[in-house]
Amino acid sequence: MAFTGRAALLAALGSLPVGIWEPGWTGVLAVNAPLAVACACDFALAAPVRRLGLTRSGDTSVRLGDAADVTLTVTNPSRRPLRARVRDAWPPSSWQPGTESAASRHTVRVPPGERRRLTTRLRPTRRGDRRADRVTVRSYGPLGLFARQGTHEVPWTVRVLPPFTSRKHLPSKLARLRELDGRTSVLTRGEGTEFDSLREYVPGDDTRSIDWRATARQSAVAVRTWRPERDRHILLVLDTGRTSAGRVGDVPRLDASMDAALLLAALASRAGDRVALMAYDRRVRALVQGRSAGDVLPSLVNAMATLEPELVETDARGLTATALRTTPRRSLIVLLTALDAAPIEEGLLPVLTGLTQRHTVLLASVADPHIAGMARARGSADAVYEAAAAAQAQTERDRTADQLRRHGVTVVDATPDELAPALADAYLALKAAGRL
C-alpha cells in the first residue's frame, strides 16, 4: 500500500487532523476525516496487484549495438479496472546510459478481464546474457490518492551477440576467393593443388599450364586450371587469459579477436573448409566443432557471446595439448593471442614445436594504434620520451614476431580495425600457396 503525492497535498490543505498509523510507515500522517474516507474508498477500488497475470514474449537474441524488443503482457483477472505504472527492470547494461528510465517505465490501463501488451526496447552495451529482473506494478484507485504495489518475477533472457562489424569486408574477400577458384572472368590461374578444368589458352597464360595431350586431341591449345583444396580443417583458438582483457581504444582485445575470427570463419566456410573454435586460458571456455557450413557461423557467434576475459595467465602447455587433441589431422591452427614478449617467450615458444610439426600455425594479434601515434610525437621533452618508449615497445614486438616466424609461424599483427581483413588475407595467401 502506498500513499500518493496527491493525497499528501490534500492532507496539507485539510483541517480536523486525525492520526493514522500503519505498520511499516515512517511516521504519522495528519488528514481530515472526509479525506480519510476518500483514501479508504480509493484504496478499495484499486485493482489488486498480486492477482495480475504477467507473461513475456519477443526477442531472445540481438547483436551488440542493435535494439531488442521484449513484450510484457499484463492480464487483469479482477472485476476492477487496472490503472497502473509498471517498471520492467533489467540490468543497467541493457540500455544506453541515461535512457533506462524512459524505456523501462510504462503507464497502462487494463479493463476487467482484459489484457494489454507493453513493449520494452533494450539497447545493450555489452555482450552476454541479459536476464530480466522483477516487474514492479503500482495500481492506483480512481482518485489517485492511494495505490497498491507489488512485484512479480517474470523470467526472460536476451543473449547479446558479438556485432561482427568486419562482415563489410566479406564481399571483397569472397571475390578474391573466386579468383583463386578460377570462377571469374579474370585471366588468372588458381594456384591450389586440385585440378579443376580445361579451357582454351589466352595470351598471358602460364605456358607451364598447357595440357599438351588435350591440345593434341583438339584444334585449340588447352590449359589446365586449378583451384585451392577444399575440406581443409581450421581451428580458431581464442586466448581468453589476462592479456585479452586489455583495451585497445574502446574495445577489449578479446572482442577484436572475435571479430577477426568471425570474418575468417565466414570466408573459410564459403571456401568449403571445416571450421572449429576453441576458447582457452587454463581450461576450455568454449568448444564448437563438427558444424556444417550453414550452421558454423551462428554456432560461433552464440558461443562467443558469453565469453569474458579471465584474469589468469594462459597455460600455453595446456592450450597446445588441447589443440592437438581437438585436431588429430593436419589443420590450420589460428591462435588469436597477444604478441607480448613474456607470454610468448616463456609460455608459447617452448611448446610451439609440437604444433608446427603437425599443423600449419598462424598467430594473429591486436596492435595498439596509440603506440604508432606516440612514436611520431615530437615538440616537447615528454613527447620525445613517449616516442622513445613507443619505439622500444615496437622493436620488442617485432623481435617476438621474428622469433615466431623462425619457428614456421605466420604472424599477423594489426590494429583492431585492420586485424580482420589482414587475417583473411593471410588465410587466402596460405590457400593460394597450397599450404593448407
Side-chain angles (χ1 to χ4, degrees), residues 129-141:
D129 290 340
R130 298 292 169 267
R131 294 180 173 85
D133 203 345
R134 295 170 299 176
V135 176
T136 302
V137 181
R138 178 172 288 184
S139 173
Y140 293 91

Side-chain angles (χ1 to χ4, degrees), residues 222-240:
V223 296
R224 294 184 295 269
T225 61
W226 307 81
R227 61 183 174 88
E229 289 190 21
R230 295 176 176 271
D231 201 30
R232 303 296 92 185
H233 286 243
I234 300 173
L235 176 63
L236 304 171
V237 181
L238 284 173
D239 180 358
T240 55

Side-chain angles (χ1 to χ4, degrees), residues 63-347:
R63 289 195 183 276
L64 183 63
D66 294 342
D69 291 334
V70 179
T71 299
L72 180 69
T73 302
V74 181
T75 303
N76 180 16
S78 71
R79 297 181 180 180
R80 307 168 198 165
L82 174 68
R83 309 169 186 86
R85 289 279 292 170
V86 179
R87 180 174 184 264
D88 189 5
W90 290 76
S93 58
S94 301
W95 289 279
Q96 298 290 335
T99 64
E100 185 270 341
S101 179
S104 65
R105 288 169 169 79
H106 310 273
T107 300
V108 63
R109 289 177 177 269
V110 186
E114 296 188 14
R115 67 185 65 183
R116 293 292 185 270
R117 291 182 174 88
L118 308 174
T119 299
T120 300
R121 173 156 290 188
L122 309 179
R123 289 190 177 274
T125 58
R126 292 179 56 191
R127 285 183 298 101
D129 290 340
R130 298 292 169 267
R131 294 180 173 85
D133 203 345
R134 295 170 299 176
V135 176
T136 302
V137 181
R138 178 172 288 184
S139 173
Y140 293 91
L143 300 177
L145 300 178
F146 260 72
R148 302 170 184 262
Q149 180 169 310
T151 59
H152 293 258
E153 298 287 344
V154 191
W156 194 260
T157 301
V158 175
R159 174 157 291 187
V160 186
L161 308 173
F164 192 15
T165 56
S166 62
R167 64 181 178 272
K168 62 186 176 183
H169 299 289
L170 186 58
S172 63
K173 304 308 175 187
L174 289 175
R176 173 59 181 153
L177 179 64
R178 287 192 293 270
E179 288 184 19
L180 294 180
D181 280 348
R183 292 200 298 267
T184 65
S185 59
V186 180
L187 301 179
T188 58
R189 179 175 74 87
E191 300 177 358
T193 58
E194 290 185 358
F195 173 75
D196 185 31
S197 61
L198 293 173
R199 63 172 174 82
E200 187 175 343
Y201 174 85
V202 295
D205 282 340
D206 190 344
T207 56
R208 293 173 296 179
S209 65
I210 296 176
D211 189 319
W212 295 108
R213 291 186 178 181
T215 300
R217 294 194 299 267
Q218 58 188 31
S219 59
V221 178
V223 296
R224 294 184 295 269
T225 61
W226 307 81
R227 61 183 174 88
E229 289 190 21
R230 295 176 176 271
D231 201 30
R232 303 296 92 185
H233 286 243
I234 300 173
L235 176 63
L236 304 171
V237 181
L238 284 173
D239 180 358
T240 55
R242 65 170 184 82
T243 56
S244 67
R247 302 183 73 87
V248 178
D250 196 36
V251 179
R253 292 180 186 270
L254 180 59
D255 286 47
S257 298
M258 287 180 183
D259 195 53
L262 288 174
L263 179 62
L264 179 55
L267 180 61
S269 61
R270 297 285 188 90
D273 293 334
R274 299 179 181 271
V275 181
L277 169 75
M278 182 179 76
Y280 192 94
D281 41 72
R282 289 188 175 274
R283 63 181 179 87
V284 176
R285 302 289 177 178
L287 183 62
V288 178
Q289 56 186 158
R291 298 294 194 274
S292 62
D295 188 48
V296 64
L297 200 60
S299 298
L300 295 185
V301 168
N302 192 59
M304 291 177 180
T306 57
L307 287 178
E308 295 293 343
E310 301 291 331
L311 299 182
V312 296
E313 196 72 41
T314 299
D315 178 11
R317 190 174 299 277
L319 184 150
T320 302
T322 306
L324 290 173
R325 288 196 304 269
T326 305
T327 54
R329 59 180 294 182
R330 184 166 184 83
S331 308
L332 170 65
I333 295 182
V334 181
L335 296 174
L336 294 121
T337 185
L339 200 57
D340 298 343
I344 295 294
E345 294 176 359
E346 299 175 10

Side-chain angles (χ1 to χ4, degrees), residues 48-68:
V49 172
R50 298 188 183 279
R51 293 176 56 192
L52 295 176
L54 288 92
T55 58
R56 291 190 187 274
S57 61
D59 296 330
T60 57
S61 64
V62 62
R63 289 195 183 276
L64 183 63
D66 294 342

Side-chain angles (χ1 to χ4, degrees), residues 3 68 97 192 245 279 348 358 428:
F3 196 75
L348 186 59
R358 295 175 54 182
L428 292 172

